Amino acid sequence: MKVKEQLKMLKPYQPGKPIEEVKKEYNLDKVVKLASNENPFGCSELVKKVLVDHFDNMAIYPDGYAFAIREKLANHLGVNMDQLIFGNGSDEIVQIICRSYLGKGTNTVMATPTFPQYRHNAVIEGAEIREIPLKNGEHDLENMLQAIDEKTRVVWVCNPNNPTGVYIPESQLLSFLEKVPTDVLVVLDEAYYEYVTQEDYPNSINLLQKYENLMILRTFSKAYGLASLRIGYGIANPTLIKEMEPAREPFNTNTLAQKAAFVALDDQDFIEYCRNENEKGLKQYYCFCEEFNLKYFPSQGNFILINFGRDANELFEALLKKGFIVRSGKALGFPTSLRITVGSTEQNEAIIQHLKELL
């Protein structure tokens, strides 16, 4: 069998070790996972009830158009229903975009390091990848603009950026959008939107009417705590959505995910609670870093990237033995750093104490 040549250059996604495996391997009673930027507070109580109520409909295909959640989300965001596209997590929207616009003879521009699925899916489609190094954890928007030419189809902007957590202020984003050619799609990935607290963070939905080449990605996996159900969405002008829809698989979001997302939108008090607790948690890490003179990026996500100045894999293994799963920076382009998901106050205190001992 002759697989695509592009696939020979790629490695499949390597998820972190499951909690049960770590418990067994290191003979631990308790393991705390702070590796995948999941919500340590779970999801809204409203979600748990609605899932139980819909277990009897497993034999029926989901609504391929996702009408109920589409209508609810459109009202919540203040957009039209035909401005939305849903995916099996926002990861699938990334795949749909690449499938729709990229191929041999085209190129795509992105920062590096950033969310790796932009590159991964573009490689599969045979497009040229133009990666522009971050500056102090930030997108180098000027050099990204310089990389655009007549063969550029998609530009990726992760805001706040994963894995650094650094955000792009509205003034900088507007200046960038004004200079991007109108036939180049700008994908603004806002997976951590609900955690942002900075007042000058862009109100991106208000920009859609002016910039018809803009698409916003968001997800229910992070602050809403629905990562295992896999549902995310894109927001753009109706023409752009209509062009992409044929690349979307039918029934790509399951019934339970649609129901859960529908009721999760009603509990904005839960989202506010998670945002406030996340801000407190980040301050715990900032104090720790300042105490030990460690470099870090101030984050607008629910994670922090800390430079320990030593081999990240060694720190990763040391924490694993203590029952904490984090993300080694070696896989993220920061070989002496760890990316740590912000947990509950108690979880943060516990891992910080272990880090102090290791240092």
Side-chain angles (χ1 to χ4, degrees), residues 313-333:
N313 284 354
E314 290 180 6
L315 283 171
F316 167 82
E317 289 292 337
L319 287 171
L320 205 58
K321 293 175 183 177
K322 298 291 186 180
F324 291 91
I325 309 173
V326 296
R327 187 78 162 145
S328 170
K330 278 205 171 177
L332 306 172

Side-chain angles (χ1 to χ4, degrees), residues 3 6 14 31 34 72 74 87 106 126 130 133 136 184-185 212 225 227 246 294 314 353:
V3 73
Q6 299 96 289
Q14 296 293 325
V31 170
L34 299 173
K72 182 76 165 283
T106 68
R130 297 186 174 180
N136 299 318
V184 174
L185 175 63
E212 295 187 356
L294 299 173
E314 290 180 6
Q353 185 57 45

Side-chain angles (χ1 to χ4, degrees), residues 292-316:
F292 283 83
N293 198 28
L294 299 173
K295 293 181 179 179
Y296 67 93
F297 293 110
S299 176
Q300 287 298 303
N302 67 333
F303 58 89
I304 184 169
L305 187 72
I306 303 173
N307 186 355
F308 290 88
R310 55 196 286 189
D311 187 275
N313 284 354
E314 290 180 6
L315 283 171
F316 167 82

Side-chain angles (χ1 to χ4, degrees), residues 43-260:
C43 62
S44 167
E45 290 295 322
L46 299 177
V47 170
K48 298 175 184 179
K49 183 180 185 303
V50 78
L51 293 182
V52 172
D53 291 345
H54 286 86
F55 279 151
D56 293 334
N57 297 319
M58 295 299 101
I60 308 299
Y61 280 112
D63 173 10
Y65 185 65
F67 179 86
I69 181 58
R70 181 182 296 272
E71 182 179 47
K72 182 76 165 283
L73 183 60
N75 289 331
H76 176 75
L77 298 173
V79 300
N80 296 323
M81 291 172 64
D82 59 2
Q83 289 183 263
L84 297 171
I85 185 170
F86 290 89
N88 189 260
S90 57
D91 301 55
E92 192 194 17
I93 309 294
V94 172
Q95 184 185 57
I96 291 170
I97 291 167
C98 291
R99 196 175 184 184
S100 300
Y101 295 105
L102 298 179
K104 290 184 178 179
T106 68
N107 69 66
T108 181
V109 177
M110 63 194 71
T112 185
T114 192
F115 186 53
Q117 289 304 301
Y118 311 149
R119 186 183 200 284
H120 185 92
N121 284 285
V123 168
I124 291 174
E125 299 303 329
E128 177 193 348
I129 317 296
R130 297 186 174 180
E131 296 178 297
I132 309 302
L134 298 173
K135 276 187 175 181
N136 299 318
E138 303 177 18
H139 282 62
D140 184 351
L141 296 177
E142 284 304 315
N143 277 319
M144 288 177 70
L145 284 170
Q146 294 301 315
I148 297 172
D149 63 18
E150 69 279 358
K151 295 182 179 179
T152 304
R153 297 292 179 270
V154 183
V155 177
W156 306 89
V157 178
C158 191
N159 193 30
N161 187 48
N162 179 10
T164 60
V166 178
Y167 79 105
I168 301 168
E170 184 168 45
S171 60
Q172 292 182 26
L173 180 65
L174 287 172
S175 177
F176 177 75
L177 290 173
E178 282 292 323
K179 298 169 186 173
V180 175
T182 56
D183 62 347
V184 174
L185 175 63
V186 177
V187 180
L188 187 60
D189 189 345
E190 296 185 337
Y192 300 93
Y193 168 79
E194 288 80 10
Y195 286 110
V196 174
T197 58
Q198 289 293 327
E199 292 184 1
D200 60 347
Y201 184 82
N203 189 337
S204 54
I205 290 177
N206 287 349
L207 304 177
L208 290 171
Q209 189 169 1
K210 182 176 182 181
Y211 302 101
E212 295 187 356
N213 60 329
L214 175 65
M215 183 169 199
I216 303 161
L217 303 187
R218 292 184 185 172
T219 183
F220 287 95
S221 294
K222 303 303 181 184
Y224 285 97
L226 304 182
S228 68
L229 293 176
R230 311 304 300 126
I231 182 165
Y233 57 97
I235 321 160
N237 77 72
T239 302
L240 200 156
I241 296 294
K242 187 177 180 180
E243 286 179 351
M244 290 174 52
E245 274 289 349
R248 181 182 64 82
E249 295 293 331
F251 312 121
N252 64 327
T253 57
N254 68 77
T255 299
L256 292 181
Q258 293 180 26
K259 298 289 185 183

